[in-house]
Amino acid sequence: MAASRRWSPDEDRLIEKFIVHKGVHSTIKALHMAGFSDRNIRGLAERCKALGVRAGEGNGFIRVIDVDSGHNRSGGKERFTRKSVLSQAEADGVLRRVPYGPNGKTIPYVPEKWADAYVERMSKATNGEEIARHHIRRSWLPTKALPDLFGISMRTIERHIPAAVGDKGRRHKSYRYSVRPYLDAIPKQRVGRAVYWEPSLAEVNAASYKRTLPPVRG
């Protein structure tokens, strides 16, 4: 078998011009139209490897799948999912889809600088939110602490929890000694499936609620 001929400088220039923006098949077509009809996809792949270029890459672009948080691949169980990167890149108008292979297949790319900024922004958001959640879990009151604080049953508390944190749309008849207004006035936050209540105002509103109750007869 005859040895394959060496790649010429003209071929290399065509590869570097087309492979980054047009993909493999368009590059092969460009080579054939320029008179280098003996080149095929396998040979092109080997030459790209030697030149250090990949389809769609170059000029500061990387594949979406390579956007990495530094802890996991983009498909990991975190906010750096391929879908989230695609959605944000498309919204920012920086997404590039490079044709690759038959049947209209494309590979999505984003600018490296945009990817770095995205990872940094999302890392800060993720870390900040986790710190806030940790603070709430440690410092705020869980719903199960409210019955002792207000001096009423858990059933009563649950019946009057505001709709914003789990009332499921039920409507309850208000009455003179309703605890609902006092629960409504307490800042609250859902963390996972649990609801936590700001402790200082919870104590203040519990004391106010108790003052509205009729005196206990001996």
Side-chain angles (χ1 to χ4, degrees):
M1 180 182 294
S4 60
R5 65 180 180 81
R6 296 172 63 88
W7 291 81
S8 68
D10 287 340
E11 289 176 295
D12 287 347
R13 280 192 288 271
L14 281 172
I15 291 172
E16 291 171 342
K17 178 180 179 180
F18 283 90
I19 197 71
V20 170
H21 304 293
K22 300 296 185 180
V24 171
H25 288 271
S26 292
T27 303
I28 285 290
K29 183 177 179 180
L31 287 168
H32 290 180
M33 291 180 66
F36 308 111
S37 58
D38 57 326
R39 298 305 187 187
N40 56 36
I41 290 178
R42 181 177 178 180
L44 175 60
E46 292 175 352
R47 189 57 182 166
C48 285
K49 185 175 181 180
L51 293 172
V53 296
R54 287 192 288 181
E57 295 189 333
N59 295 329
F61 276 76
I62 63 170
R63 296 183 302 172
V64 164
I65 197 173
D66 289 331
V67 177
D68 195 336
S69 67
H71 303 288
N72 206 343
R73 296 286 294 181
S74 58
K77 293 181 179 179
E78 54 176 299
R79 297 179 66 176
F80 297 89
T81 62
R82 182 176 184 272
K83 183 177 180 180
S84 70
V85 176
L86 279 171
S87 297
Q88 190 59 56
E90 195 163 23
D92 291 348
V94 298
L95 185 64
R96 173 185 292 177
R97 294 187 179 274
V98 177
Y100 184 84
N103 304 321
K105 180 180 178 181
T106 62
I107 299 177
Y109 288 81
V110 293
E112 286 183 281
K113 289 184 178 179
W114 179 92
D116 290 342
Y118 174 80
V119 169
E120 184 177 1
R121 183 171 71 251
M122 295 301 285
S123 293
K124 288 180 179 178
T126 300
N127 293 338
E129 290 170 6
E130 182 54 39
I131 290 171
R133 288 193 294 267
H134 181 68
H135 171 74
I136 287 171
R137 283 193 295 263
R138 291 194 58 181
S139 305
W140 288 29
L141 298 176
T143 301
K144 65 182 180 181
L146 297 183
D148 287 342
L149 191 62
F150 279 83
I152 54 182
S153 69
M154 175 61 82
R155 183 177 179 181
T156 300
I157 292 289
E158 291 177 341
R159 193 167 65 243
H160 291 278
I161 285 178
V165 291
D167 188 29
K168 298 181 180 179
R170 296 194 299 269
R171 294 291 179 268
H172 304 290
K173 183 178 180 181
S174 180
Y175 59 100
R176 181 179 178 184
Y177 305 115
S178 174
V179 72
R180 180 180 286 253
Y182 299 91
L183 294 176
D184 282 343
I186 304 171
K188 55 198 71 71
Q189 181 69 48
R190 181 179 294 279
V191 179
R193 297 177 63 186
V195 176
Y196 292 83
W197 307 72
E198 198 282 321
S200 298
L201 282 176
E203 292 177 1
V204 169
N205 280 277
S208 298
Y209 169 71
K210 288 177 179 178
R211 287 195 293 268
T212 69
L213 299 178
V216 178
R217 296 182 180 181

